[in-house]
Amino acid sequence: DYLSKGSGFERYLAMRFLGAIGGKEIIEPLRRVAVDDPSASFRSSALRWLSTTPWDLAAPIIRHAAENDVSEEVRKEAKEILGRH
């Protein structure tokens, strides 16, 4: 709930906590942020945290953002992540 309904700071902390937990269980909550969040900076952060999860599960989400995100900044971030893997 903090990822979608919290204040900006709460949402940021929720993503950091998920990143600290790691693993495939955090992919779906971060995917929702990466795809649906109205904030480009939160979408970019979600992509960065996704890049620390199992790559075979995260890569399709990051590729989708690289090709389809409305923000040039987010597309660039996604392409940079893809380039590092």
Side-chain angles (χ1 to χ4, degrees), residues 29-37 42-43 46-47 50 61 65 69:
L30 290 175
R31 184 202 64 79
R32 287 193 308 264
V33 175
V35 172
D36 297 328
D37 200 276
F42 277 101
R43 292 193 310 275
L47 292 172
L50 279 167
I61 301 164
D69 198 275

Side-chain angles (χ1 to χ4, degrees), residues 11-12 16 23 29 35 38 40 57 61 71:
R11 292 168 54 214
Y12 169 77
R16 292 220 35 194
V35 172
L57 300 173
I61 301 164
S71 167

Side-chain angles (χ1 to χ4, degrees), residues 16-68:
R16 292 220 35 194
F17 286 138
L18 287 173
I21 293 168
K24 65 182 183 180
E25 294 81 16
I26 71 168
I27 292 174
E28 182 54 28
L30 290 175
R31 184 202 64 79
R32 287 193 308 264
V33 175
V35 172
D36 297 328
D37 200 276
S39 166
S41 65
F42 277 101
R43 292 193 310 275
S44 287
S45 291
L47 292 172
R48 285 191 296 276
W49 286 113
L50 279 167
S51 73
T52 67
T53 64
W55 186 247
D56 60 322
L57 300 173
I61 301 164
I62 297 169
R63 275 191 207 100
H64 181 268
E67 297 170 1
N68 300 301

